[in-house]
Amino acid sequence: MATTALPGRAAARPRAGVAPGLASTVILLGGALYCLFPVAWVVVAATKSRAELFSTGTFAVGTGLLENLADLAAYRDGVFWLWMLNTLLYAGAGALLSTGVSAISGYTLAKYRFPGRTLFFNLLIGGILVPAVVLAVPQYLLLSRLGLADTYWAVLLPQILSPYGIYLSRVYASAAVPDELIDAARIDGAGDLRVFGRVALPLMVPGMVTVFLFQFVAIWTNFLLPFIMLGNDRKFPLTVGLYTLLAAGANQPALYNLIITGALLSLIPLIALFLTMQRHWHADLSGGAVKN
């Protein structure tokens, strides 16, 4: 009787895990729908003409996409494309510089011992907890004293130092760069810069891809900093430029189609970036898991 009871219990165990697994799947699908619903609405609304925007169903596809694109391209002699180029400059250059600073800083904190190292790292952790809105006005006052307000540098410079990026780089450098490999390179006569560039940095590439993606998205979607720093609309990024369109749309409802179409176009570079880099990202992460 004991031998007949055991198979029955063993068969019942997999059934016990069905309900939690199904619940997790439902929760994840609900979260995905919640995140994708606004994107789906923007995609559909961008296809509607001015008359269709407020007269058709929420997810009824319209016929005015090409007209909206033409109107957006012609608005103020194509200022939208200038905003797009500005955003690419801010996000691309800012993310690259921030990734480089984070890589050097994280590697230094992980592999070197110096006075104040622990205090500096604790201050860095504290910096992660400080909201960006708290620092925006002091940064503006400082850059204004330096004569950099309303310049491209006013948006780029505050984005270079990322406490969260340095923290991720430090954690990744500690795990991915063996001390024995660094010691072997030093025994062979390599200096500190050569050890970092030839030994540590190639091993840190997967972590740096993550830092670059996070920082690129953060700069691309940043609104408050450029809104405070810039006064010339020829230097605006997409976030501030579309906001000015939205403010003008209160008196000119015809601009709403341009705003929605611009919001749709602003999503394309982010989607393209993730689709392009996710292959390297997943491969690097899985490779690191195998190494561990």
Side-chain angles (χ1 to χ4, degrees):
M1 295 179 62
T3 53
T4 56
L6 286 175
R9 293 179 182 177
R13 287 176 184 173
R15 298 177 183 175
V18 172
L22 181 60
S24 301
T25 302
V26 171
I27 293 174
L28 290 175
L29 288 175
L33 290 175
Y34 175 79
C35 295
L36 294 176
F37 182 85
V39 178
W41 181 85
V42 168
V43 172
V44 174
T47 65
K48 298 182 179 182
S49 64
R50 298 174 185 175
E52 295 170 337
L53 184 60
F54 298 103
S55 61
T56 59
T58 302
F59 287 99
V61 179
T63 60
L65 177 60
L66 296 179
E67 180 184 355
N68 292 336
L69 291 173
D71 291 342
L72 181 63
Y75 178 75
R76 289 184 54 194
D77 298 326
V79 70
F80 174 83
W81 304 114
L82 181 60
W83 294 341
M84 178 74 78
L85 289 176
N86 291 339
T87 310
L88 287 172
L89 172 64
Y90 295 139
L96 283 174
L97 292 172
S98 179
T99 302
V101 171
S102 298
I104 296 174
S105 303
Y107 171 77
T108 302
L109 288 172
K111 298 302 177 181
Y112 287 87
R113 302 294 183 267
F114 52 88
R117 172 175 172 268
T118 303
L119 175 61
F120 181 80
F121 184 70
N122 291 334
L123 291 175
L124 181 69
I125 297 298
I128 298 176
L129 303 177
V130 178
V133 65
V134 177
L135 301 176
V137 174
Q139 287 171 345
Y140 170 77
L141 296 175
L142 177 61
L143 292 173
S144 179
R145 292 289 297 272
L146 296 175
L148 296 177
D150 198 20
T151 65
Y152 290 101
W153 290 108
V155 179
L156 279 174
L157 289 178
Q159 309 279 4
I160 293 176
L161 185 63
S162 170
Y164 186 63
I166 296 175
Y167 170 76
L168 287 180
S169 301
R170 191 253 187 191
V171 172
Y172 198 86
S174 299
V177 184
D179 293 336
E180 296 80 3
L181 196 59
I182 296 176
D183 294 337
R186 288 173 177 167
I187 291 174
D188 290 339
D192 290 336
L193 290 178
R194 189 171 183 181
V195 170
F196 172 73
R198 295 292 185 87
V199 178
L201 190 58
L203 296 174
M204 294 174 61
V205 166
M208 296 307 97
V209 171
T210 303
V211 172
F212 177 84
L213 287 173
F214 283 168
Q215 196 64 6
F216 187 94
V217 174
I219 299 175
W220 186 278
T221 59
N222 192 3
F223 168 79
L224 182 62
L225 181 66
F227 180 75
I228 292 177
M229 294 292 184
L230 301 175
N232 184 354
D233 63 352
R234 306 292 293 181
K235 301 173 185 175
F236 283 172
L238 283 171
T239 51
V240 181
L242 291 176
Y243 171 78
T244 60
L245 276 179
L246 182 62
N251 299 321
Q252 304 177 51
L255 293 179
Y256 286 141
N257 290 80
L258 304 187
I259 299 167
I260 296 171
T261 307
L264 173 63
L265 294 179
S266 69
L267 296 176
I268 294 177
L270 293 179
I271 296 173
L273 179 68
F274 274 90
L275 292 178
T276 302
M277 301 189 71
Q278 71 172 349
R279 178 174 61 87
H280 305 284
W281 195 16
H282 291 168
D284 290 334
L285 291 179
S286 62
V290 172
K291 292 176 185 178
N292 292 336

